Amino acid sequence: MGILETIKDPLDLKKLASGDLPELAAEIRDLLVSTVARTGGHLGPNLGVVELTIALHRVFDSPRDRIMFDTGHQAYVHKMLTGRAGDFGTLRQEGGLSGYPSQAESEHDVIENSHASTALSYADGLAKAFTLRGETDRTAVAVIGDGALTGGMAWEALNNIAGRKDLPLIVVVNDNGRSYSPTIGGLASHLSTLRMTQRYEQALELVKNNLGRVPVVGAPLYETLHGVKKGLKDIFAPQVMFEDLGLKYVGPIDGHDEAAVEAALRRARAYRGPVIVHVITHKGHGYAHAENHDEDCFHSPQPFDVETGEERARPHSWTNVFSEEMVKIGAQREDVVAITAAMLHPVGLAAFADAHPERIYDVGIAEQHALTSAAGLALGGLHPVVAIYATFLNRAYDQLLMDVALHRLPVTVVLDRAGVTGDDGPSHNGMWDLSMLQVVPGLSIAVPRDAVRLRELLAESVGIEDGPSVVRFPKGALPREIEAVGHLGGMDVLRAGDPDVLLVAVGPMADICMDAATLLDAQGISATVVDPRWVKPLDEALVLAAAAHKLVVVVEDGGRSGGVGDAVARMLRDADVDVPVRTYGIPQRFLDHAKRQKILSDIGLTGQDLAREITEAVAKRSPVLERHPARQAQ
């Protein structure tokens, strides 16, 4: 039996002798690599926090002490040490362990955060609650990466934390110089200098060793010199920003020296006030293929071969097509610039950066700043393209509304991973944007159904000069290309039918709608399938098309409430078109993690599900259908 198998609770970890910890760390790394090689997931960040997480659970008493990870993708080791090592093989599988902390899994999981820069605010509130309730034996601990510290919300929280000297709160800065890719910006440069500068510590040690030998005056003189620590830091390293905020600072500490981290955390806990513990770690530590992976240290690899580190081949994806098209647009338009929020490779802008290095801006994990900076670029005569995950647009909604749209600025926002994403769980499904964005004045929204339409709509979008635009597409492999058989205004007619049902297929739902139309034929129901291409504003031709049919059905991979379906229904009401409208999309609830196709099936977004529901809806309005041979045979 390995040591890890004996850890059913953090109390078991506390009972281990310090000499057992290196073997435990090795076992944890072996399980991380072997599992993520099969399931995919966040490998590099977790390899980097093994010793840190062991130290956290040896020093603090979870769940009474509240340990939070920012972001939660670095919590795999935490899961193992809180009784879930035996289930770790189910990581990111339907019904198995989530790739992020999950309150449903364990009382040790405090917050289900996968959006960065939030843990300090949670910790601030928790620590204030402990103080107010007189719970003097409890501590709030926030583990935050240097990448997440580039987010403005983290600094808003630090500003408040620094103002309360009595808060039982410890901030562990897990400093590995990376978020997905190397962390950028002034903060990153400062921390990088601290990582590389040991002169202060060496100088202090030298003074201590030499003066300690001087009788009588040695020790007092050393204490005096130690008291001018801040001055020495000014000489030997850049001024420590955290101390400038009024926060107690400990570090930098070697994050792979468990004993050193443990000692630092014990000192911080004893202080009983807000403390920054600055820990230097290495993303991918202990697995050579991750350590040497230049792009992102195996931040979030596909399943891979453990021996070679070679990832399973990825199919040509929506992101690949966007990447290729951006390079072409950049070559044609010198005014087009690109912005990423610390995700250059994941959103497909790396090729643009290589081709046009002077026109790419990585703003760190700061989506709000990204949008308002884009507004400034547009005011300066450029056309910015901001590429982010759809779920992260939630954070920059106000900036898109009030800083971009209010000024009618030509900014294009490209939303990757829109709709159901699957394995990453409830926080990553990009299901909110089509509902939120319907209320933004002057905004145009394009939803391509395949690779050809993505190229077309991206080009059309960057051609809009009198307001902002959005292009959204899902995660993963490209669907089959569906050519139009005709046009209604600016809409593509994908299938012409008799005036029974008008199927409005929003973007990648086209394939599902075409399947449903074929199944409806067998029930004696003829369906016309149209792809609106632009879902905001909707094409006026949709009104005439709807009026010619008995039922309108809108199918989208966004939330049903306030989405495209509701916009279509409102458009028809305003035009006094009394045709009934049925809407199908993602229910407004947080979806458990599973494969995309399984989730779509579970929520009824398959051709078969749609055909059955539409048949029932039509039958209620056309009793003659009940006598159709296909229905009689059922």
Side-chain angles (χ1 to χ4, degrees), residues 213-225:
R213 301 190 186 100
V214 179
V216 184
V217 300
L221 185 55
Y222 167 70
E223 292 302 323
T224 300
L225 284 174

PDB file of all heavy atoms in Angstrom, residues 213-225:
ATOM      1  N   ARG A 213      29.337  36.335  15.664  1.00  0.00           N
ATOM      2  CA  ARG A 213      30.561  35.913  16.341  1.00  0.00           C
ATOM      3  C   ARG A 213      31.158  37.025  17.207  1.00  0.00           C
ATOM      4  O   ARG A 213      32.087  36.805  17.969  1.00  0.00           O
ATOM      5  CB  ARG A 213      31.609  35.489  15.296  1.00  0.00           C
ATOM      6  CG  ARG A 213      31.153  34.350  14.388  1.00  0.00           C
ATOM      7  CD  ARG A 213      32.316  33.827  13.545  1.00  0.00           C
ATOM      8  NE  ARG A 213      31.861  32.845  12.568  1.00  0.00           N
ATOM      9  CZ  ARG A 213      31.640  33.114  11.300  1.00  0.00           C
ATOM     10  NH1 ARG A 213      31.827  34.344  10.843  1.00  0.00           N
ATOM     11  NH2 ARG A 213      31.242  32.174  10.476  1.00  0.00           N
ATOM     12  N   VAL A 214      30.641  38.261  17.050  1.00  0.00           N
ATOM     13  CA  VAL A 214      31.178  39.389  17.798  1.00  0.00           C
ATOM     14  C   VAL A 214      30.549  39.403  19.185  1.00  0.00           C
ATOM     15  O   VAL A 214      29.328  39.475  19.309  1.00  0.00           O
ATOM     16  CB  VAL A 214      30.892  40.724  17.082  1.00  0.00           C
ATOM     17  CG1 VAL A 214      31.458  41.892  17.900  1.00  0.00           C
ATOM     18  CG2 VAL A 214      31.511  40.694  15.693  1.00  0.00           C
ATOM     19  N   PRO A 215      31.368  39.326  20.272  1.00  0.00           N
ATOM     20  CA  PRO A 215      30.794  39.284  21.614  1.00  0.00           C
ATOM     21  C   PRO A 215      30.046  40.558  21.955  1.00  0.00           C
ATOM     22  O   PRO A 215      30.388  41.642  21.512  1.00  0.00           O
ATOM     23  CB  PRO A 215      32.030  39.108  22.520  1.00  0.00           C
ATOM     24  CG  PRO A 215      33.217  39.352  21.671  1.00  0.00           C
ATOM     25  CD  PRO A 215      32.822  39.290  20.254  1.00  0.00           C
ATOM     26  N   VAL A 216      28.993  40.404  22.737  1.00  0.00           N
ATOM     27  CA  VAL A 216      28.161  41.464  23.308  1.00  0.00           C
ATOM     28  C   VAL A 216      27.338  42.211  22.258  1.00  0.00           C
ATOM     29  O   VAL A 216      26.126  42.288  22.342  1.00  0.00           O
ATOM     30  CB  VAL A 216      29.008  42.482  24.131  1.00  0.00           C
ATOM     31  CG1 VAL A 216      28.066  43.513  24.774  1.00  0.00           C
ATOM     32  CG2 VAL A 216      29.822  41.772  25.170  1.00  0.00           C
ATOM     33  N   VAL A 217      28.010  42.800  21.256  1.00  0.00           N
ATOM     34  CA  VAL A 217      27.287  43.669  20.324  1.00  0.00           C
ATOM     35  C   VAL A 217      26.735  42.911  19.129  1.00  0.00           C
ATOM     36  O   VAL A 217      25.914  43.443  18.395  1.00  0.00           O
ATOM     37  CB  VAL A 217      28.201  44.810  19.817  1.00  0.00           C
ATOM     38  CG1 VAL A 217      28.673  45.656  20.978  1.00  0.00           C
ATOM     39  CG2 VAL A 217      29.378  44.258  19.017  1.00  0.00           C
ATOM     40  N   GLY A 218      27.217  41.672  18.923  1.00  0.00           N
ATOM     41  CA  GLY A 218      26.839  40.961  17.704  1.00  0.00           C
ATOM     42  C   GLY A 218      25.346  40.779  17.537  1.00  0.00           C
ATOM     43  O   GLY A 218      24.751  41.244  16.572  1.00  0.00           O
ATOM     44  N   ALA A 219      24.706  40.111  18.504  1.00  0.00           N
ATOM     45  CA  ALA A 219      23.279  39.815  18.386  1.00  0.00           C
ATOM     46  C   ALA A 219      22.432  41.080  18.357  1.00  0.00           C
ATOM     47  O   ALA A 219      21.551  41.226  17.505  1.00  0.00           O
ATOM     48  CB  ALA A 219      22.842  38.885  19.511  1.00  0.00           C
ATOM     49  N   PRO A 220      22.635  42.052  19.269  1.00  0.00           N
ATOM     50  CA  PRO A 220      21.829  43.287  19.182  1.00  0.00           C
ATOM     51  C   PRO A 220      22.012  44.016  17.875  1.00  0.00           C
ATOM     52  O   PRO A 220      21.054  44.568  17.325  1.00  0.00           O
ATOM     53  CB  PRO A 220      22.353  44.113  20.368  1.00  0.00           C
ATOM     54  CG  PRO A 220      22.925  43.122  21.315  1.00  0.00           C
ATOM     55  CD  PRO A 220      23.500  42.046  20.460  1.00  0.00           C
ATOM     56  N   LEU A 221      23.250  44.035  17.362  1.00  0.00           N
ATOM     57  CA  LEU A 221      23.490  44.740  16.109  1.00  0.00           C
ATOM     58  C   LEU A 221      22.769  44.037  14.952  1.00  0.00           C
ATOM     59  O   LEU A 221      22.213  44.687  14.066  1.00  0.00           O
ATOM     60  CB  LEU A 221      24.994  44.824  15.828  1.00  0.00           C
ATOM     61  CG  LEU A 221      25.407  45.639  14.594  1.00  0.00           C
ATOM     62  CD1 LEU A 221      24.838  47.049  14.668  1.00  0.00           C
ATOM     63  CD2 LEU A 221      26.926  45.681  14.484  1.00  0.00           C
ATOM     64  N   TYR A 222      22.761  42.707  15.012  1.00  0.00           N
ATOM     65  CA  TYR A 222      22.045  41.970  13.969  1.00  0.00           C
ATOM     66  C   TYR A 222      20.549  42.315  14.005  1.00  0.00           C
ATOM     67  O   TYR A 222      19.919  42.551  12.976  1.00  0.00           O
ATOM     68  CB  TYR A 222      22.226  40.456  14.127  1.00  0.00           C
ATOM     69  CG  TYR A 222      21.248  39.694  13.253  1.00  0.00           C
ATOM     70  CD1 TYR A 222      21.390  39.683  11.870  1.00  0.00           C
ATOM     71  CD2 TYR A 222      20.151  39.035  13.814  1.00  0.00           C
ATOM     72  CE1 TYR A 222      20.486  39.029  11.063  1.00  0.00           C
ATOM     73  CE2 TYR A 222      19.243  38.380  13.016  1.00  0.00           C
ATOM     74  CZ  TYR A 222      19.416  38.374  11.647  1.00  0.00           C
ATOM     75  OH  TYR A 222      18.511  37.723  10.857  1.00  0.00           O
ATOM     76  N   GLU A 223      19.983  42.357  15.209  1.00  0.00           N
ATOM     77  CA  GLU A 223      18.564  42.690  15.323  1.00  0.00           C
ATOM     78  C   GLU A 223      18.282  44.077  14.769  1.00  0.00           C
ATOM     79  O   GLU A 223      17.264  44.328  14.137  1.00  0.00           O
ATOM     80  CB  GLU A 223      18.126  42.611  16.799  1.00  0.00           C
ATOM     81  CG  GLU A 223      18.142  41.196  17.371  1.00  0.00           C
ATOM     82  CD  GLU A 223      17.254  40.247  16.579  1.00  0.00           C
ATOM     83  OE1 GLU A 223      16.176  40.685  16.112  1.00  0.00           O
ATOM     84  OE2 GLU A 223      17.634  39.083  16.409  1.00  0.00           O
ATOM     85  N   THR A 224      19.205  45.012  14.996  1.00  0.00           N
ATOM     86  CA  THR A 224      19.042  46.362  14.457  1.00  0.00           C
ATOM     87  C   THR A 224      19.042  46.338  12.931  1.00  0.00           C
ATOM     88  O   THR A 224      18.212  46.955  12.274  1.00  0.00           O
ATOM     89  CB  THR A 224      20.169  47.276  14.960  1.00  0.00           C
ATOM     90  OG1 THR A 224      20.109  47.316  16.385  1.00  0.00           O
ATOM     91  CG2 THR A 224      20.003  48.681  14.410  1.00  0.00           C
ATOM     92  N   LEU A 225      20.024  45.582  12.390  1.00  0.00           N
ATOM     93  CA  LEU A 225      20.090  45.495  10.933  1.00  0.00           C
ATOM     94  C   LEU A 225      18.844  44.802  10.377  1.00  0.00           C
ATOM     95  O   LEU A 225      18.318  45.181   9.336  1.00  0.00           O
ATOM     96  CB  LEU A 225      21.348  44.722  10.517  1.00  0.00           C
ATOM     97  CG  LEU A 225      22.652  45.506  10.622  1.00  0.00           C
ATOM     98  CD1 LEU A 225      23.837  44.587  10.327  1.00  0.00           C
ATOM     99  CD2 LEU A 225      22.670  46.686   9.681  1.00  0.00           C
TER     100      LEU A 225
END
